[in-house]
Amino acid sequence: MDLEKFFDEVHHDVLMSRVGRKVKDKRVLGLIRRYLQAGIMEGGLVSQSTKGTPQGGPLSPLLSNILLDDLDKELERRGHSFCRYADDCNIYVGSRRAGERVLASIERFLSRVLRLKVNHAKSAVERPWKRVFLGYSMTWHKRPRLKVAPSSVTRLKMNLKVAFRRGRGRNLAKFIEELRPILRGWINYFRLSQVKGVFEELDGWIRRRLRCIVWRQWKRRRTRAKGLMRRGLSAQRASRGLRRKW
C-alpha cells in the first residue's frame, strides 16, 4: 500500500495535534509550525505552504513517522502483520478476500483520521512474492526467504550499462575502481537477501561486460591473439577465441 503524494498532502493541523501529544513546549511547537509553513521559492517568488512537509528536510522523515504512528497502532490493534517505511506499507493477511477488506477499511481510516489518500496505482492486493518492498521481494515457499526483486537488478544493470559505455577506451583498473563504490553500496544494501543466485548471475554479467571492454581495446586480430596467449591460452585455443563472440 502506498500513500498518494504523501509528503505533499500532510495536513498541518492533524500533524501538529500528533506532535502536541508529546511536545508541550509552545516555542518548539511554534518553530515546527513555521518550518511546515516556510513555503518554497520558484522563479524568485515565495509561495506559502498550506499543507505538506518540505521534502529533503531533515525533520520531514521524523514528522512523517509521528503522523503515521497512528496507522501503526491501528494495525497492531487489529492484530495484523505488517512492515512500513515512510509512506510505503505492506500488510500481510491470510487470503485475498481478507486483503481486499483490510485495504478498504484502512483506506477509510486514513481518509477519516489522518486525511490521507491511498495511491491506487501503486497499491494492490497480491501474493507477497509478487510485490516489491524497498527493493526486496520474497520466495513463494511455505517458509519464504528474502530475495532481491528482479526490478532492482534491472535498474542496476541499466545504470551500469551507462557506466560501461563511458568506460570504453579507458584504463580498466581505474574504471573498476570507479565501479567499486557503486557495487559495494548495492551489495551492502541487499546483504539481507537469503537467495544468493542473483549475486552470482550479476557477477558473471559484470565480468562479461569488462571482457568486452578489453576485447574492444585490443582491436586488431594479432593483438587479441597475443592477449589471449598471455593469459595462458595455447595458440590453437587463442585462434578459436578470435572467432568467439564475447
Side-chain angles (χ1 to χ4, degrees):
M1 182 181 68
D2 185 80
L3 300 180
E4 184 175 344
K5 298 180 181 179
F6 172 70
F7 288 98
D8 295 330
E9 296 294 332
V10 170
H11 195 282
H12 290 173
D13 291 338
V14 175
L15 174 58
M16 291 306 301
S17 69
R18 269 63 184 175
V19 176
R21 293 173 181 174
K22 297 292 184 181
V23 179
K24 302 303 179 183
D25 192 325
K26 293 184 178 180
R27 294 172 300 175
V28 176
L29 294 174
L31 185 62
I32 295 174
R33 173 75 74 168
R34 287 197 294 272
Y35 168 80
L36 294 172
Q37 296 177 342
I40 57 175
M41 179 177 289
E42 292 181 340
L45 299 175
V46 177
S47 58
Q48 191 71 24
S49 297
T50 58
K51 59 181 179 179
T53 62
Q55 294 193 42
L59 198 57
S60 294
L62 174 61
L63 294 176
S64 69
N65 280 327
I66 290 174
L67 178 62
L68 292 176
D69 185 62
D70 279 14
L71 173 62
D72 296 343
K73 294 293 191 295
E74 177 66 16
L75 293 173
E76 289 173 357
R77 186 185 67 80
R78 299 184 184 191
H80 295 313
S81 298
F82 70 96
C83 52
R84 181 183 66 80
Y85 182 83
D87 61 330
D88 196 2
C89 180
N90 278 10
I91 306 170
Y92 302 99
V93 294
S95 66
R96 172 175 288 276
R97 187 174 179 180
E100 292 171 349
R101 184 175 64 250
V102 169
L103 179 60
S105 62
I106 290 299
E107 184 175 1
R108 288 194 299 270
F109 171 82
L110 290 169
S111 175
R112 185 180 68 255
V113 178
L114 301 180
R115 300 192 186 183
L116 296 171
K117 296 180 180 179
V118 172
N119 186 342
H120 292 282
K122 295 183 179 180
S123 303
V125 178
E126 191 55 271
R127 297 286 190 180
W129 55 86
K130 294 183 179 180
R131 301 296 293 170
V132 177
F133 184 71
L134 302 179
Y136 281 92
S137 186
M138 61 180 65
T139 63
W140 52 268
H141 301 91
K142 186 175 181 180
R143 303 187 70 173
R145 295 182 295 165
L146 273 180
K147 69 174 185 178
V148 183
S151 58
S152 300
V153 179
T154 301
R155 193 178 305 114
L156 174 66
K157 286 184 176 181
M158 293 298 293
N159 293 334
L160 289 179
K161 283 180 180 178
V162 177
F164 281 122
R165 282 195 290 269
R166 294 198 306 265
R168 297 174 184 175
R170 298 178 57 192
N171 180 276
L172 188 63
K174 291 182 179 179
F175 177 64
I176 291 174
E177 284 301 316
E178 292 182 11
L179 287 182
R180 196 185 302 276
I182 300 173
L183 297 175
R184 183 185 292 122
W186 192 86
I187 291 171
N188 283 337
Y189 179 82
F190 288 107
R191 67 183 182 275
L192 298 177
S193 174
Q194 298 168 298
V195 179
K196 306 303 180 184
V198 63
F199 297 102
E200 296 173 359
E201 187 274 334
L202 185 61
D203 178 70
W205 182 85
I206 292 172
R207 290 176 183 273
R208 286 193 298 274
R209 289 281 174 168
L210 292 174
R211 288 198 295 269
C212 286
I213 291 177
V214 175
W215 197 247
R216 290 192 182 97
Q217 289 177 351
W218 285 346
K219 293 183 180 178
R220 297 185 178 182
R221 185 181 182 88
R222 181 179 298 179
T223 305
R224 290 176 173 178
K226 288 181 178 179
L228 292 175
M229 287 188 286
R230 278 199 305 269
R231 283 156 177 77
L233 271 69
S234 65
Q236 184 179 6
R237 290 192 63 191
S239 177
R240 289 203 304 270
L242 295 178
R243 298 192 296 270
R244 181 178 176 183
K245 219 173 190 180
W246 290 85

